[in-house]
Amino acid sequence: MDIKLPKGTKDIFLAEAEAFEQVESALINVAKMFSYASIRTPIFEHTELFTRSVGDSSDIVRKEMYTFTDKGDRSLSLRPEMTAGVIRSVVENKLDVTSDLPLKLYYVGPAFRYERPQLGRYRQFHQFGVENIGITSPFSVAETIALGVTAFTVMGFKKVTVNINSLGDQPTRDAYKQALKTYFQPHLASVCPDCQQRFETNPLRMLDCKVPSDQALGKKAPRISDFLSPASAAYYAQVKEGLKSLSIDIVESPQLVRGLDYYSDCVFEYHMLSDKGLDYGALGAGGQYNNLVSELGGQPLKSVGFAFGLERLIAVLSDSGRLENVKPFTDIYLISMMPETDMYTFKLAHNFRHTNFKTELNLEHKSMKASIKAAVKKEALYAVIIGDQEMKANQVTIKNLQTQEQQLVPVNEVVHLMQHLTNQAGHHHHDESEGEEAHHDEEKK
Ligand code: HAM
């Protein structure tokens, strides 16, 4: 069979899959700490949703959408990001009317962009994001940016940089676009064809161009900070004050315009080089969007949000060797020594699992030495061995795989004893602590 995975996608398995789950659960915990609730929206939406929100002047809509016509002749697109779908859902379900504001939602899932695959860039990738809908205070913007910074801390990242800028309100951007047009006009013949089009549709996009000569030109362009309306400037100043009060370091980036059309006022990106010195691009990014909810038919609610790229977060963790000991672990490794003890061991495994022990069952009937070796390889805490003798005496052998201590105990006491032993050793085997454990494991390294 020579069917390979599609270009720009990747299979995620074993240690990396485990890392995804641990990172997701750590991020979800942080979101809950900030009092966010979960939302899941469809992976495809009507194409028009994205053209109207992400915007027809954005590269995402112009070049990167997976758009198709379904059997009912509807134009649908795989979501290139989640904000549009979340706000569509909020408006459609009247959550903007019926909820206490701000309405705070988080999400995790795949998104799709037909981009040229490169370091940290895939055609199917995963985002974790938050949307803080219906805010008034600039401190809510600072709080949302701080949520992202907290998430990095919890995941054990070393200092990330927060790049920040303000795109101002509509009057600000109208005035600024005019100034950009005046600035770029004399250079129009020499800029890339994309920028020639951006000049017409949205000159702000020209600052986002990846062509080096266009970038150099953009660096000397007028700065939006000189065009901010008094209201936008005051609001932005307070966002920065809020971040300062939490000792969050920011880098003001007048060049930062973001590639999506729905942004207004404060925008930001999280950046960090990996331990291998690699730049995977923004690890996360977002900003305020003050008109999107009403543009999609809802209340006029100012909002702010951001999304992290999970592949990029995990690549940075991997480069610092932090995924090496990310493994699912086993509490109890049950060994049935012979066919006659299989049923007995099989039922005991079921009991352990119902008592919340992560349990592996070995029915291979190998030598004791080989079976214990397999248990050690699984990094189990205890091996529970059942041979003919044990079964007949209604007993089991418990072996502590760290100390090698071994004891024979009555089978009807084994679950209770294991609970006692694992509690004593401070091992948590309850599911709720999983995210915490991920965090501790990573920190230990
Ligand atoms: P975005 O900057 O387009 O913003 O994407 C957010 C993050 O998703 C990026 O910083 C990056 O980590 C990751 N990402 C984007 N494209 C790819 C790709 N092709 N491969 C791998 N990772 C990628 C948004 O999507 C906005 N919806 C964020 C937001 C939420 N703004 C307000 N609320």
Side-chain angles (χ1 to χ4, degrees):
M1 185 184 85
D2 64 352
I3 302 173
K4 301 270 163 48
L5 91 172
K7 188 174 173 188
T9 65
K10 85 196 225 106
D11 297 318
I12 301 162
F13 51 89
L14 296 177
E16 197 181 7
E18 184 69 19
F20 262 83
E21 289 193 1
Q22 293 192 359
V23 165
E24 283 170 9
S25 106
L27 292 171
I28 290 170
N29 274 338
V30 174
K32 288 187 193 289
M33 216 66 79
F34 282 74
S35 197
Y36 278 72
S38 181
I39 185 166
R40 298 178 191 223
T41 59
I43 278 171
F44 58 86
E45 298 271 0
H46 290 286
T47 301
E48 198 191 342
L49 173 68
F50 302 115
T51 55
R52 280 179 42 185
S53 55
V54 175
D56 17 24
S57 88
S58 69
D59 278 6
I60 296 177
V61 165
R62 283 183 44 238
K63 309 192 239 179
E64 297 170 0
M65 278 215 298
Y66 281 92
T67 297
F68 60 97
T69 308
D70 77 357
K71 293 192 203 306
D73 245 358
R74 304 170 189 89
S75 177
L76 301 171
S77 295
L78 301 186
R79 61 185 185 195
E81 57 101 53
M82 269 91 122
T83 309
V86 167
I87 299 305
R88 191 239 353 108
S89 171
V90 164
V91 172
E92 191 165 344
N93 295 294
K94 301 203 162 44
L95 300 180
D96 56 332
V97 181
T98 58
S99 309
D100 291 329
L101 299 176
L103 171 62
K104 303 201 278 188
L105 301 169
Y106 72 83
Y107 48 79
V108 198
F112 308 84
R113 294 182 194 176
Y114 191 79
E115 294 196 80
R116 219 178 52 201
Q118 47 184 288
L119 193 71
R121 179 156 294 156
Y122 299 95
R123 289 182 174 173
Q124 170 168 342
F125 57 99
H126 297 79
Q127 287 188 337
F128 163 86
V130 303
E131 309 298 347
N132 194 351
I133 302 153
I135 59 161
T136 49
S137 166
F139 283 102
S140 294
V141 177
E143 183 192 29
T144 308
I145 297 173
L147 191 170
V149 175
T150 306
F152 282 110
T153 312
V154 165
M155 289 184 289
F157 279 69
K158 283 174 282 165
K159 249 184 161 16
V160 292
T161 308
V162 183
N163 294 343
I164 186 169
N165 191 22
S166 176
L167 303 179
D169 47 18
Q170 199 57 53
T172 302
R173 283 193 303 285
D174 289 344
Y176 184 54
K177 278 179 192 171
Q178 209 42 59
L180 282 181
K181 282 199 152 185
T182 311
Y183 170 77
F184 281 117
Q185 179 76 59
H187 307 281
L188 211 49
S190 62
V191 301
C192 77
D194 272 339
C195 276
Q196 286 169 350
Q197 199 177 344
R198 289 170 185 139
F199 182 87
E200 299 302 334
T201 53
N202 185 356
L204 238 70
R205 290 277 88 83
M206 296 176 81
L207 299 176
D208 223 13
C209 186
K210 304 285 178 297
V211 178
S213 58
D214 290 356
Q215 275 183 343
L217 193 61
K219 285 223 161 65
K220 295 199 201 97
R223 303 192 152 188
I224 196 159
S225 50
D226 296 326
F227 293 81
L228 290 183
S229 69
S232 281
Y235 197 92
Y236 183 45
Q238 281 188 283
V239 172
K240 289 185 285 186
E241 282 300 308
L243 291 169
K244 219 168 121 189
S245 78
L246 300 178
S247 307
I248 292 173
D249 288 330
I250 55 168
V251 176
E252 289 202 53
S253 313
Q255 239 33 62
L256 180 65
V257 291
R258 309 273 302 119
L260 300 87
D261 284 353
Y262 51 61
Y263 290 115
S264 48
D265 286 292
C266 185
V267 292
F268 51 92
E269 288 187 350
Y270 302 96
H271 283 267
M272 183 185 144
L273 292 185
S274 83
D275 278 3
K276 290 188 178 159
L278 294 176
D279 182 358
Y280 292 97
L283 302 181
Q288 286 181 256
Y289 47 97
N290 293 336
N291 307 310
L292 184 59
V293 185
S294 56
E295 275 167 14
L296 294 179
Q299 301 297 306
L301 297 181
K302 291 187 173 186
S303 306
V304 60
F306 69 79
F308 285 155
L310 294 186
E311 282 77 5
R312 295 184 186 184
L313 295 183
I314 283 161
V316 173
L317 288 173
S318 169
D319 282 3
S320 58
R322 299 256 308 284
L323 299 194
E324 279 156 28
N325 63 352
V326 173
K327 276 190 201 133
F329 73 91
T330 304
D331 293 311
I332 300 173
Y333 193 95
L334 276 162
I335 303 164
S336 167
M337 295 305 292
M338 55 196 60
E340 294 73 25
T341 54
D342 281 357
M343 172 87 86
Y344 188 85
T345 314
F346 172 73
K347 283 164 69 178
L348 191 54
H350 200 61
N351 274 343
F352 277 127
R353 288 165 182 154
H354 277 257
T355 331
N356 255 337
F357 284 108
K358 298 193 176 98
T359 307
E360 174 68 300
L361 173 61
N362 181 327
L363 303 169
E364 304 284 305
H365 313 134
K366 299 266 169 60
S367 71
M368 179 67 85
K369 199 174 156 212
S371 305
I372 293 292
K373 209 172 149 188
V376 169
K377 205 169 164 201
K378 274 274 179 184
E379 299 193 19
L381 301 173
Y382 291 90
V384 171
I385 304 141
I386 296 113
D388 203 23
Q389 300 282 314
E390 280 101 341
M391 187 174 70
K392 286 196 178 120
N394 267 320
Q395 290 180 318
V396 302
T397 300
I398 297 179
K399 187 182 175 86
N400 180 325
L401 294 170
Q402 263 123 49
T403 64
Q404 311 305 318
E405 270 171 81
Q406 204 162 301
Q407 51 181 317
L408 209 55
V409 299
V411 68
N412 55 6
E413 284 170 26
V414 67
V415 169
H416 189 74
L417 179 67
M418 288 307 307
Q419 282 173 327
H420 179 68
L421 287 175
T422 48
N423 279 340
Q424 219 174 28
H427 297 297
H428 306 285
H429 56 267
H430 291 289
D431 281 338
E432 314 99 79
S433 60
E434 232 163 21
E436 285 286 293
E437 256 158 30
H439 169 40
H440 294 320
D441 279 356
E442 281 160 7
E443 273 192 337
K444 261 188 248 151
K445 250 239 119 166

